[in-house]
Amino acid sequence: GESVGLHLPTLSVQEGDNSIINCAYSNSASDYFIWYKQESGKGPQFIIDIRSNMDKRQGQRVTVLLNKTVKHLSLQIAATQPGDSAVYFCAGDYGGGGNKLTFGTGTQLKVEL
Amino acid sequence: DAGITQSPRHKVTETGTPVTLRCHQTENHRYMYWYRQDPGHGLRLIHYSYGVKDTDKGEVSDGYSVSRSKTEDFLLTLESATSSQTSVYFCAIRADRHTDTQYFGPGTRLTVL
């Protein structure tokens, strides 16, 4: 079966530094990947997505990079702020037509002041 | 939370009792999903709906049933709750088949004693 979201469990960064959160996946068949942010006690919040025909996509302070050769996805957060502290996880759509996403377990980002 | 509410937000119940969780959306989205989130696991799909009275099973559907009699409401029922169903349950929506991103509600924390 597919697996996605082989994350490091925790990442600590200093406020103002850039953060890079990584995600590996096992199956090349996904045509769509999504990054979510989840704060404690809240539901996952959509951050950014990328299709498999792209290598890079930028949003506000965030960039997602997709390396299909090594099956690796990363989320870069520029100038990390205390409000960025949360769990971040990736998800992939393996041909379920958007109905059957596979989610990773996530990385806890801790921002140190 | 993309116009999604979940009720109740917290519930404690006893083994063997029936439990129904409600997801309500205000934006007439076609697709609705129920997930559970447990430590060490990514979000796992329980059931989803692609229209009124149209539902399908997800990865972890055993012990759960769903109903969707109106576009705005998607109900998840545990016919006879077990301790293994202690979890945080999230509802999600997707606007239509041309949109891939799922947006999540605030979650329901269920404890089965």
Side-chain angles (χ1 to χ4, degrees):
Chain A
E2 304 86 2
S3 70
V4 72
L6 303 178
H7 294 262
L8 286 176
T10 305
L11 175 67
S12 293
V13 298
Q14 294 288 324
E15 182 182 5
D17 286 352
N18 296 335
S19 302
I20 300 176
I21 300 170
N22 296 303
C23 176
Y25 59 94
S26 63
N27 190 323
S28 301
S30 178
D31 55 5
Y32 179 68
F33 294 94
I34 313 167
W35 278 100
Y36 286 95
K37 171 186 180 183
Q38 188 175 22
E39 297 175 276
S40 180
K42 296 185 177 181
Q45 176 186 356
F46 170 79
I47 301 173
I48 193 169
D49 56 11
I50 188 168
R51 295 205 170 275
S52 59
N53 60 355
M54 302 171 69
D55 298 322
K56 178 179 180 179
R57 191 169 187 212
Q58 290 184 289
Q60 187 176 12
R61 273 201 314 120
V62 295
T63 301
V64 56
L65 300 177
L66 177 61
N67 186 330
K68 294 178 285 295
T69 301
V70 295
K71 300 179 185 176
H72 184 268
L73 190 69
S74 68
L75 176 71
Q76 300 178 3
I77 304 173
T80 310
Q81 303 167 359
D84 295 327
S85 294
V87 175
Y88 292 81
F89 52 88
C90 64
D93 179 13
Y94 291 94
N99 289 323
K100 295 186 177 180
L101 301 181
T102 299
F103 290 84
T105 53
T107 293
Q108 172 76 56
L109 177 65
K110 297 182 179 180
V111 182
E112 298 172 348
L113 302 178
Chain B
D1 293 326
I4 305 168
T5 57
Q6 293 186 232
S7 58
R9 294 294 313 280
H10 301 272
K11 186 170 182 66
V12 179
T13 191
E14 294 190 349
T15 298
T17 61
V19 177
T20 295
L21 309 183
R22 179 184 185 232
C23 178
H24 179 78
Q25 54 134 336
T26 58
E27 299 181 17
N28 217 34
H29 295 302
R30 178 180 176 185
Y31 296 90
M32 299 184 75
Y33 305 84
W34 276 108
Y35 290 91
R36 62 178 289 172
Q37 187 175 46
D38 304 291
H41 293 273
L43 286 158
R44 292 181 291 175
L45 180 66
I46 304 172
H47 283 280
Y48 68 97
S49 170
Y50 47 98
V52 173
K53 292 184 169 38
D54 293 322
T55 65
D56 202 353
K57 295 179 180 180
E59 177 188 358
V60 290
S61 60
D62 288 348
Y64 302 94
S65 63
V66 290
S67 64
R68 192 168 178 201
S69 59
K70 301 185 288 185
T71 299
E72 58 265 36
D73 289 326
F74 192 32
L75 304 181
L76 177 71
T77 297
L78 292 65
E79 300 290 348
S80 178
T82 67
S83 58
S84 65
Q85 293 175 312
T86 292
S87 188
V88 181
Y89 291 85
F90 289 100
C91 175
I93 59 91
R94 182 164 70 97
D96 54 49
R97 65 183 179 88
H98 302 293
T99 303
D100 293 311
T101 303
Q102 296 183 18
Y103 295 90
F104 287 83
T108 293
R109 182 173 294 277
L110 176 67
T111 302
V112 183
L113 302 176

